[in-house]
Each structure stands twice: as C-alpha cells, then as structure tokens.
Amino acid sequence: MLLVLFCRAAGWVLAHCPERLLALFCRAAGNLIYALPLGRVRSVRSNLHHAFPERDRAWLDRAGRMSFQRLAEMALFALASPHFEQRWFETHLLMDDPTREALRKSLASSHGFVGLLPHFTLSEMLCALPAIEPGAAGAATLYRPVKPPALDAWLKRVRTRWGLDLLARRDALHQANSRLRAGNPVVLLFDQNTGRRGKLLFFFDRLASATHFPGLLARRSQSSAWLVLPCRTGFWKCRLEFRPLPGSALGPAKTENEENTPAAITISSNRLLETYLRDSEDHCADWLWSHNRWQTQEQPRRRFQLEPRNSYLDLWMADAGLAVYPRRTRFWIRMPNWLGDVVMTVPLLRALRRGRPDAELTLVAPPHFVPLLQMWDIADEVRALPRRASNPFPYWRRIRSWRRDYPDTWVAFTNSFRGDLEGRLTGAPQRFGILRPGKHRPLLTSVWKVPPKLDEAAIHQTALWEKFLRRFGLLEAPDFSPLATPGSKADSVGLICGTENSPEKRWPVRHWKEVVQNLIESTPQRVVLFGTARDRGITSAVAEGFPSDRIENRAGQTTLTGFAAALQRCRLMICNDTGGMHLANALGVPLVAVFGPTNPIRTGPVFRAPFQVIQPPGCPAQGGAEIGEVLPGAVLEGAARLSLFPPHLLPEQKKLDPRPPRTAPPRP
C-alpha cells in the first residue's frame, strides 16, 4: 500500500513539473547510468554492437546513452500518466489523417484487427488510444500480473481507465479470438527473445526466437494485422503509425500461401521493425535495447545445435533470397597450445560449423599457429593471443580489450586456469570446458564432467572432445577427411627425427640412419629431414655421411606454413609421435609413425589417410615401452604395407623384425 501511495504522490509531482525540466533530468540520468559498470549497460552495448557492426564506437555510444535517456523518460511517464486528462493525450498522442483513416477502416470491419506493438519508449501511451479515437473502445491487450497485489490493482486501474481491456495470459488465444470476432482490436507486444516458445528466424542477421502468437491469432480470426509504431516526436510526445503486414486479411498481397500466413506476419513484422530501427539514430534509440534481444539457443545443453523444432528459418531465407545463413552468433574457440592438439580439433570444428551454420567461428590461438589456421580456412577469423613477456599486465590488458567485440560463447579446448581466465576477461556470457575429477574450473559457466569410470587412456583425445561437445548439443559427426592431399609433384620421403618437448619419444639416431640408408639404396626419392631449430643437432647427426644430393636437412629452416607446403610434396612420411605427424596426417600424407612410451590409442593419427603405427615388440596397445626397441625393418615393412615401398626392394629378410607392426586402433 505504501508503494502505491508513493507512486501516486511521485506521479502527481511529475505531472505538474515542466516537461523541459523533466527532459533535462532524463538526459542526465541516462548519461549517468550509461557510465556505470552495470549488466544492463553491457547488454545495451552488446546488442547495439551486434545489430550495427558497421557503425563506429562513437555512434554506438551515443545511441546507447540515448537509449537510457528514453528508458528514464518511460519510467517517469508510467508514474505521471494516471494524472493526465483526455485533453493532454489529444496534444501528445497524435495521428495523421491517413493513419486515422486506416485505423477507422479496420475498426469498421467485422473481424477487428491485430496490432503488433514493439517495445518502444512510449508504448504505454497506447493505453490511451480510446481517448483520442472513440471507436477503439473495447480494445484489448495481454497483461501479466505483478507483485505486490496492491500495485497490480493500481496498474490495472491506470491502464483500463480509457476503455482498454486486459486479457489474462493463461487463456489468451481464446479470449483474444473472441474479441476479434466481436470486431474489437487486440494490440500485442511482440518480441525477439521468447526462448523455446517462439519461432526461429533472423533479426539483424542474428538468430532470434520471435513470438508468433500475433500471426497465429490473425490467422484464426481472419483479421488484418498491423505494425503499430508509436514514433516519438518529443518528450512524452509521439505520432502513431499503422503499417499493414503482408500475409493477413485486408493487408497487401500475401507473400506466403494460406497455411503459412502466421509465418508471413511474423517475418514481415520483424523485417519492418528492423528497417524502421535502421532508418535513423532517433528511431534506434527509442527501442528498449536493455533486454537480451537474441535470447535463443541459450540453454547450455543445446548450445551447439540449431534446435530440431518448428522454425521459420527456411521461410525467412527464401524471403531474403539467401542460400547461406548469416553468421553473426559469435563462437570463440580457445585452441590448444600444441600443434598435434590443434590439428586434432579440426574434425570437431567442422562438425561445429555444420551444427551451428549461423555461428561466426573465431579461433583464438598462439601466434605461431595463426598463419596455418588461416591457410586452412576452417573459421571466419583467427585471432592471435598476445605474446607473453616477463611483464604479464600487457598480455591481460590486451585480452580484456576483446570485451568490446562481445563474443557470445567461449569454448576452451585447453585445461588451464589461464585459458579460463582469458574467456572470463572477454566477457563471453557462456564459457564451456571439460572438468576432470579433482579439478576446479570456477571461471567456466558450463562444464562436462569426465565420468569417473571413463578410462581416458582407452579413448582418443578427439573422441573425448567429441563427448564434451555432444554434452552441450552437438549432433553432427566429426569430419575426418584430410584437409588436402599430396600434390602430383610428391617426389620425396620426409622424416621427422626429433620431438622438441619429449626426448623419450625420439627414435635413436642409429635407427634413423639405417632407414635412410635403405631408402637411398632402394628408392629414387630424395629424403628430406624436418624439425625445429632445436632438432637441428639430431637431423645433422642423421644426415652425416650421406650424399647431399640424396638427403636434405631442413630442420629449423621452414615456417609452419612452409612445413605444411613441404609435406604435400612428400609421398611418404616417417616420424615419431609429434605434432608434425598429425599435420602430415591432416594433409593426407601417407605416414609411418613410431610409438614407444606414448599411447597411440589416445594420440594417434585420426584423419582418413593411409598410416601405420609401429610399436615395440610386446608393447601394450596403450604404449609404455622403450622406443629404441622398434627395429628399422619394422618401419620399412610398415612403409611396404602402405604400398609405398616395394617389398622386393626391402633389405634382406634377416634385418626385418619377424613380428608384424601394430596398426592404429579404430578411429573415433
């Protein structure tokens, strides 16, 4: 009761204040609110940034401040309006002659009309429509009760004093249909953030869930449908515009066949609203941008799919004349820090692209991976992490500056606190990752908990990541087809003799030299040694004693993209368990991989290209043996199994390991 008394007293004071003074107050209040670090402020900035990416920051900030100024204006009007008389509305709520004529024509029909009202600053003034147009008496709208009951009763009295009726939401369709058949208009707010209750379409090229209730109502009652625009012309002043919508009775030519009329009304109303908001900065600022305007696919369990439900996406695409979905939902993928892991995410990135064709994929990766990822063209953008230095503050300051790009989703393929903090600093509202037993990832919003009974040593890393993404809605299967295939000029055999970070994974130099000797004696192909600058010592030892025209040592002499290009000129790759192995496999290069202490079930090649995995005799399938126990003959026989090394040119049988090499486990 005290709250109602306060609202009435405050409203009386506001109604008797000079409007110019109140306008100055709203301007100051809006500017102040926009300067505060509030969630609503970030929502406004994010929504404007997504809707108008072509605008500069000064324009977006100006529209954001004006939006909060209009929000303050709306709040003051809600308090003051109960104290305004009919004469006040006759001078503040205006209609031009064509609009009034169209309104009267619709009111004269036997089916009434459905008015679709956007969330504008002065939408509340529509409650006084019967005060300026007596024929609109009996108009109705939906109403959601508020608490406490005393405030709810006061709001009902305020909104119905000019003859507007309020309909309960629990039986809205039946009540509204009855009103329309009696010839009364029904005005409904329509929105683009109705969650699973709405129909999927694109609004400002971003996936939205729009209410289709007005279209359904117009279809059932055979009523015309109009977009109702309270166009603000000054402080507490607006001019009503009624624009007919295609697809409804008495409207312009229908854009869809009869059974698709609700879709036509829903699509056309949202298109007209979008056009109106783009018309001018003033129109844009008059809409309530503080709501989450694209609240769809927000449930974490369905984040990586377009929900399999009824939608208007196909109709929207046909109406827009587009063949490919606009990509404006921003998915940022934090890539792993190691080359092999980066390559193993590619099949999943392809699946994610198919699962969310509306998503703009941005890969966030260490700088040295950026040219390679850009070359593959598997994402819309590749963003380099800042280079790390002894002073960490520039690094984190740069990460935090990415908040101005307003990513929607952060997917962490890393397992570190640093990667989680990066996602938190970008401001992405949804952040996904894997949670292992005994670990904590408090900076993520959604995690997939690895089941305690799941033996990670018995599942490939890519398959584990696939389980993680499927937990949050991914329906598409990973694509393991190679990114490329060796060119027609593939005339060399490549060897990766080192592993920069794990000495225990290196096959002994003596074995490499024996393989090189047999290759030189048995094939005309040139042997090329690859590796990083740190591998130069190993590759030099391997190349020592062989003619320079048959062997080339390129360790430390290629960039990552140059390495990839050189791989495509190899008809065979022999390597340790290293990142280059995965890169060669992704590029379709046939390879023989030597494993010892590491686990090929977990980190073996995954792309559909020819490969053989060689392990020491008696080694468990999950690894754990000394890599030096793999004999050169077993590696050469593995090459022969790929039909890339003629068996009759193999060394004498006594040099071969009598036990057959292990092949890789089934791909995930």
Side-chain angles (χ1 to χ4, degrees):
M1 190 64 180
L2 291 177
L3 179 60
V4 173
L5 291 176
F6 171 79
C7 291
R8 295 179 64 179
W12 186 91
V13 172
L14 293 172
H16 291 81
C17 281
E19 291 182 3
R20 181 175 298 180
L21 179 62
L22 295 178
L24 291 175
F25 171 81
C26 290
R27 183 172 182 177
N31 292 343
L32 175 62
I33 295 172
Y34 190 74
L36 298 176
L38 302 175
R40 288 285 184 181
V41 175
R42 180 165 176 81
S43 293
V44 169
R45 289 173 172 165
S46 175
N47 288 335
L48 288 170
H49 179 86
H50 286 306
F52 302 97
E54 71 281 2
R55 296 289 190 173
D56 58 31
R57 189 179 176 188
W59 188 95
L60 296 175
D61 284 339
R62 187 165 58 252
R65 283 192 294 270
M66 291 174 63
S67 178
F68 278 104
Q69 293 167 13
R70 304 288 171 83
L71 194 62
E73 179 180 343
M74 181 183 70
L76 297 189
F77 175 80
L79 292 172
S81 61
H83 303 277
F84 294 143
E85 301 298 331
Q86 181 176 357
R87 185 170 55 184
W88 186 93
F89 285 102
E90 290 174 350
T91 59
H92 287 72
L93 182 59
L94 306 176
M95 283 189 292
D96 55 25
D97 291 339
T99 299
R100 193 178 294 274
E101 181 67 24
L103 175 61
R104 289 176 176 175
K105 180 180 178 180
S106 293
L107 292 173
S109 69
S110 59
H111 293 288
F113 72 89
V114 178
L116 282 78
L117 177 65
H119 283 257
F120 281 124
T121 301
L122 298 178
S123 298
E124 192 76 14
M125 293 188 77
L126 265 292
C127 293
L129 180 62
I132 64 169
E133 180 54 56
T141 189
L142 299 188
Y143 176 73
R144 176 180 294 172
V146 300
K147 294 182 180 180
L151 180 62
D152 182 68
W154 178 70
L155 286 174
K156 286 182 178 179
R157 289 196 302 271
V158 169
R159 291 175 173 174
T160 59
R161 69 184 182 122
W162 300 110
L164 181 72
D165 287 340
L166 303 179
L167 306 179
R169 286 178 174 266
R170 60 179 176 271
D171 194 20
L173 184 60
H174 175 72
Q175 295 182 70
N177 190 54
S178 298
R179 292 303 182 96
L180 289 168
R181 292 188 179 278
N184 295 315
V186 175
V187 180
L188 305 169
L189 285 169
F190 77 101
D191 216 335
Q192 299 75 32
N193 61 345
T194 54
R196 292 181 58 80
R197 299 188 305 274
K199 298 292 185 179
L200 294 180
L201 48 72
F202 287 99
F203 186 67
F204 281 96
D205 289 338
R206 276 171 62 84
L207 193 69
S209 178
T211 175
H212 64 295
F213 180 74
L216 183 63
L217 185 60
R219 173 74 175 91
R220 284 201 175 189
S221 62
Q222 293 297 302
S223 303
S224 60
W226 299 78
L227 182 64
V228 182
L229 297 173
C231 305
R232 183 182 180 278
T233 58
F235 187 82
W236 284 354
K237 292 181 180 179
C238 75
R239 182 186 69 256
L240 285 182
E241 292 185 9
F242 286 75
R243 300 185 181 182
L245 295 175
S248 66
L250 304 181
K254 300 179 182 180
T255 59
E256 303 291 340
N257 54 30
E258 193 69 19
E259 61 267 25
N260 287 333
T261 298
I265 293 174
T266 304
I267 292 173
S268 61
S269 61
N270 282 276
R271 283 198 181 280
L272 284 173
L273 173 60
E274 181 180 334
T275 301
Y276 179 81
L277 295 177
R278 290 185 183 276
D279 277 347
S280 71
E281 184 176 315
D282 193 66
H283 290 173
C284 170
D286 207 29
W287 203 45
L288 298 185
W289 292 95
S290 58
H291 292 182
N292 185 351
R293 284 300 171 188
W294 291 276
Q295 188 177 351
T296 182
Q297 305 291 130
E298 293 296 322
Q299 294 189 25
R301 291 193 178 188
R302 299 180 177 90
R303 189 55 173 161
F304 301 137
Q305 62 168 281
L306 285 181
E307 294 188 22
R309 55 173 171 158
N310 293 331
S311 74
Y312 293 156
L313 289 177
D314 291 341
L315 294 173
W316 187 94
M317 293 287 289
D319 185 65
L322 298 177
V324 179
Y325 285 171
R327 295 175 180 172
R328 297 282 288 277
T329 303
R330 296 179 180 174
F331 279 34
W332 284 25
I333 316 297
R334 176 51 164 97
M335 300 296 284
N337 296 317
W338 299 101
L339 175 60
D341 291 345
V342 168
V343 174
M344 288 189 290
T345 65
V346 170
L348 299 170
L349 296 178
R350 290 167 158 178
L352 186 58
R353 167 69 85 198
R354 294 196 306 274
R356 287 299 301 264
D358 65 304
E360 177 191 72
L361 294 186
T362 296
L363 307 183
V364 182
H368 52 283
F369 293 140
V370 170
L372 183 67
L373 293 170
Q374 289 174 333
M375 183 176 68
W376 289 343
D377 194 27
I378 55 176
D380 300 283
E381 181 186 358
V382 182
R383 185 168 297 215
L385 288 163
R387 296 191 181 276
R388 303 184 69 183
S390 56
N391 182 3
F393 291 105
Y395 181 93
W396 297 113
R397 185 167 57 248
R398 175 62 176 162
I399 295 293
R400 196 177 191 282
S401 71
W402 292 348
R403 293 171 62 87
R404 297 176 183 175
D405 295 318
Y406 302 99
D408 299 296
T409 300
W410 177 272
V411 182
F413 281 114
T414 57
N415 296 302
S416 65
F417 177 81
R418 180 165 68 96
D420 297 351
L421 180 58
E422 291 164 355
R424 179 67 181 86
L425 291 177
T426 64
Q430 289 188 324
R431 302 178 296 279
F432 297 86
I434 297 176
L435 181 64
R436 290 179 167 81
K439 302 293 184 180
H440 300 281
R441 305 189 73 173
L443 299 182
L444 299 180
T445 60
S446 303
V447 295
W448 174 62
K449 296 181 180 179
V450 178
K453 295 183 178 179
L454 178 64
D455 182 6
E456 291 193 47
I459 184 173
H460 197 278
Q461 178 64 59
T462 301
L464 186 74
W465 282 330
E466 182 183 353
K467 289 180 177 291
F468 154 52
L469 295 181
R470 288 192 182 279
R471 171 65 175 78
F472 298 109
L474 183 69
L475 299 176
E476 302 292 332
D479 182 358
F480 294 102
S481 59
L483 290 163
T485 55
S488 58
K489 295 183 179 180
D491 57 357
S492 59
V493 176
L495 274 62
I496 303 178
C497 305
T499 55
E500 185 174 357
N501 62 323
S502 301
E504 67 278 4
K505 296 194 299 183
R506 297 171 186 163
W507 206 34
V509 171
R510 66 181 186 277
H511 291 344
W512 284 114
K513 292 180 76 70
E514 186 171 342
V515 167
V516 171
Q517 180 66 44
N518 281 280
L519 290 172
I520 290 176
E521 294 176 355
S522 307
T523 65
Q525 278 81 26
R526 183 168 52 99
V527 177
V528 181
L529 306 180
F530 295 104
T532 66
R534 294 182 181 180
D535 297 327
R536 187 73 181 181
I538 298 173
T539 55
S540 296
V542 172
E544 185 179 3
F546 295 108
S548 59
D549 61 331
R550 295 301 311 277
I551 188 168
E552 180 183 1
N553 185 2
R554 301 189 64 184
Q557 297 181 2
T558 58
T559 63
L560 198 51
T561 53
F563 177 38
L567 286 176
Q568 291 186 263
R569 293 194 292 272
C570 295
R571 69 186 297 262
L572 172 66
M573 171 63 67
I574 302 175
C575 57
N576 300 312
D577 174 19
T578 184
M581 173 194 72
H582 292 284
L583 183 56
N585 178 237
L587 295 174
V589 180
L591 64 87
V592 177
V594 184
F595 277 73
T598 51
N599 182 358
I601 295 178
R602 181 165 176 75
T603 61
V606 294
F607 288 86
R608 285 193 295 270
F611 68 88
Q612 289 279 298
V613 170
I614 312 299
Q615 292 180 280
C619 177
Q622 297 179 353
E626 170 62 43
I627 194 170
E629 296 178 7
V630 175
L631 300 180
V635 173
L636 295 170
E637 185 179 359
R641 287 173 178 267
L642 296 174
S643 299
L644 295 169
F645 196 85
H648 67 278
L649 295 179
L650 286 172
E652 295 181 7
Q653 191 66 27
K654 64 180 181 180
K655 292 187 177 181
L656 294 178
D657 182 357
R659 283 158 288 200
R662 291 185 180 271
T663 56
R667 300 182 184 89

